[in-house]
Amino acid sequence: MRRSLTLLASLVPAVLSDSAVMFEFPDGRSVALTSSGDIAMAAESVTIDPAGFDYEPWYDGSGWLPMMDVECVFYLVNESEDSRDVTVGFPIDARFGDAYTVFSDSMLVAYNDSARSDPNDREWYDTGLAGGTDASGRVPPELQFTAAADGELLEVFYRTCRSSLEERMIRDPVVAVWRMHFEPGQTRRLVNTYRTSWDYFGGGPWGDFTVSYILTTGSTWKGPIGDAVITLVVPENIPVPQLSDTLQACWEWSGSPWISGDTVTWTFSDFEPVEDISLTVMTVLTDPVDERVYPISLLEKVNWESDSLLRSAGAAIQEMITWSQQYHSELVLRLLEASVEFTQGRVPPYPTLMHIISAYENGSGYISGEKAAVMMSALAIERAVLEEDVSLVEQAGYAPFLPLFTVKYQWDADDIRMYASQPLLEGPYLELLSGLETAKTGGRLEDPAIDAFYSLTGWYHPGDSSWYAPSISGALEEYMSGL
């Protein structure tokens, strides 16, 4: 027991300090065949839609997370010449919006692993869906789970099941089960519906919203799955990719979906489900409550040499604000311009920044009109350089990727295929990935447009290496050679 308590104490400060909060909701999952039988899944179609009522987004602290209605349609075929009675199950991690302090799934797995004091003890997880005792009391009424075969509602029972590391059921695992009868060669249409929400994990100015669909539970059916289409409609108030004065946000996903506006669609054909899919919206608030930039102090800390101006300003801002989040280059420049104007008693041209800039600086110095004019002249040069960078980035087709490369800090080989289903975007995306390792390690980028792109993120400065540098060049070269 002492071992478990020791690990718990070491894990708690590792994620966003004590302010971290997490809300977990059941993920969408393929149904599973829990008894033997020659039943194949010919097709599945899943829609995940906003539930249709208003809400306020969680990231600003004013409301709740958006509810989602999920409908899963499965076509199941008895490929044998005999009738079959089978048990079908829908695995559910039955936690529904409970708040956790700091434990992400990976941290909980590490904690559970550590709790085994004897190496000969059974693992805490099991990859099976074996049913156990009645678990109907553990299923939240908000789930509203149903099962219907060929339009007829089926009686559903809820059973406890062992935690499953493979199927990501590690908190409160339950399996909904029902019986189905198949005549020889019969195809049946099974529909499961339920209500869930977006998982949320974050703290301070950072927050991630995620919706997942677990395809791997469908591996129990006979043979490969014929066709699958999973469609997610992102609610209106979930942040779109952006770099604004108040919010930096990007979308990232697993798999290779087609994205059109607020609709994300994954398609598969004749496949064995070996990976799950998800969409995550990553957000960074640039103006959390009580964050302030002190204009005179900021201007005095800046190195006004052209090669160091924005770099030193970004570092000064990070030192000044509580959470040290990284600001993109346009925002850093606007804060500098607004700060100079503010010290001269003029109203800055960026009203959205005024609640970040503090009017009170105890013991601060004074910026003369002559000095302010010199600063504005230097900033005008930086503004011209930035606008030239923007022009290069737009001409190269890189502009849509700027939020992603600014906000996302961890990259691996799985990210290479993100745009595989969007050929018009995949080319420029791969070009940018080719410069990622060099940019993260502080090297100089030879291509002017790629150099301009990374300069706009706010974190890239030649000579400065990132704390997290990915190693994807080999995987990227292999992927591109196969195109």
Side-chain angles (χ1 to χ4, degrees), residues 92 94 135-145 158-159 172 174 176:
I92 303 166
S136 56
R138 292 163 57 185
V139 178
E142 298 92 338
L143 189 69
Q144 301 180 23
F145 182 85
Y158 298 96
R159 296 286 184 262
D172 197 7
V174 169

Side-chain angles (χ1 to χ4, degrees), residues 95-110:
R95 290 287 187 185
F96 203 96
D98 287 2
Y100 299 85
T101 52
V102 293
F103 271 81
S104 64
D105 284 357
S106 60
M107 295 177 69
L108 185 57
V109 167

Side-chain angles (χ1 to χ4, degrees), residues 321-340:
I321 58 181
T322 303
W323 294 96
S324 299
Q325 61 267 38
Q326 180 79 54
Y327 287 176
H328 58 94
S329 294
E330 169 68 22
L331 180 55
V332 171
L333 183 55
R334 286 160 71 92
L335 279 169
L336 288 173
E337 292 168 339
S339 294
V340 175

Side-chain angles (χ1 to χ4, degrees), residues 175-473:
V175 59
V177 295
W178 57 90
R179 297 285 291 173
M180 292 183 68
H181 176 78
F182 289 83
E183 292 295 328
Q186 183 183 15
T187 297
R188 303 204 66 184
R189 183 178 187 267
L190 171 67
V191 179
N192 292 126
T193 64
Y194 65 96
R195 177 164 285 182
T196 185
S197 184
W198 292 62
D199 293 342
Y200 174 84
F201 180 63
W206 292 281
D208 290 352
F209 305 80
T210 302
V211 167
S212 299
Y213 187 78
I214 312 302
L215 280 167
T216 50
T217 51
S219 61
T220 57
W221 302 96
K222 180 183 177 182
I225 295 175
D227 296 289
V229 178
I230 299 97
T231 302
L232 166 67
V233 176
V234 179
E236 182 179 352
N237 287 346
I238 288 286
V240 298
Q242 61 185 279
L243 296 177
S244 71
D245 287 347
T246 57
L247 180 67
Q248 300 179 158
C250 73
W251 292 7
E252 67 166 351
W253 49 83
S254 59
S256 304
W258 174 264
I259 299 178
S260 178
D262 61 0
T263 303
V264 185
T265 304
W266 291 264
T267 58
F268 304 90
S269 183
D270 194 28
F271 73 107
E272 294 283 354
V274 294
E275 66 174 349
D276 302 318
I277 58 177
S278 64
L279 173 76
T280 296
V281 177
M282 305 172 65
T283 64
V284 184
L285 290 172
T286 57
D287 63 338
V289 176
D290 296 330
E291 292 281 34
R292 295 292 182 269
V293 171
Y294 298 93
I296 296 177
S297 297
L298 171 61
L299 298 174
E300 290 178 341
K301 291 181 178 181
V302 171
N303 181 339
W304 291 90
E305 297 293 330
S306 60
D307 290 343
S308 303
L309 201 158
L310 288 186
R311 176 192 300 184
S312 61
I317 291 170
Q318 283 188 291
E319 182 182 343
M320 199 170 292
I321 58 181
T322 303
W323 294 96
S324 299
Q325 61 267 38
Q326 180 79 54
Y327 287 176
H328 58 94
S329 294
E330 169 68 22
L331 180 55
V332 171
L333 183 55
R334 286 160 71 92
L335 279 169
L336 288 173
E337 292 168 339
S339 294
V340 175
E341 296 284 2
F342 188 81
T343 64
Q344 302 305 297
R346 298 190 292 266
V347 177
Y350 313 119
T352 53
L353 296 180
M354 289 312 298
H355 56 293
I356 304 178
I357 297 176
S358 175
Y360 304 98
E361 289 190 81
N362 293 329
S364 61
Y366 169 73
I367 303 296
S368 68
E370 181 180 355
K371 189 174 183 180
V374 173
M375 290 178 176
M376 288 302 291
S377 178
L379 293 177
I381 295 173
E382 289 298 321
R383 169 63 61 187
V385 171
L386 186 143
E387 290 176 354
E388 183 179 349
D389 285 345
V390 170
S391 179
L392 283 173
V393 167
E394 290 177 345
Q395 291 174 21
Y398 298 154
F401 306 102
L402 197 54
L404 177 65
F405 282 79
T406 298
V407 178
K408 180 176 169 65
Y409 59 92
Q410 289 187 324
W411 296 79
D412 57 39
D414 291 337
D415 295 319
I416 294 172
R417 296 184 64 254
M418 281 180 63
Y419 286 90
S421 296
Q422 303 177 77
L424 293 180
L425 293 173
E426 186 178 33
Y429 174 70
L430 294 176
E431 290 172 8
L432 292 172
L433 280 184
S434 70
L436 182 61
E437 281 189 43
T438 300
K440 285 285 188 178
T441 53
R444 290 197 172 273
L445 295 162
E446 298 299 328
D447 187 288
I450 295 178
D451 179 78
F453 175 88
Y454 282 106
S455 295
L456 293 176
T457 65
W459 56 259
Y460 167 63
H461 303 287
D464 292 350
S465 61
S466 168
W467 68 270
Y468 184 87
S471 299
I472 62 171
S473 57

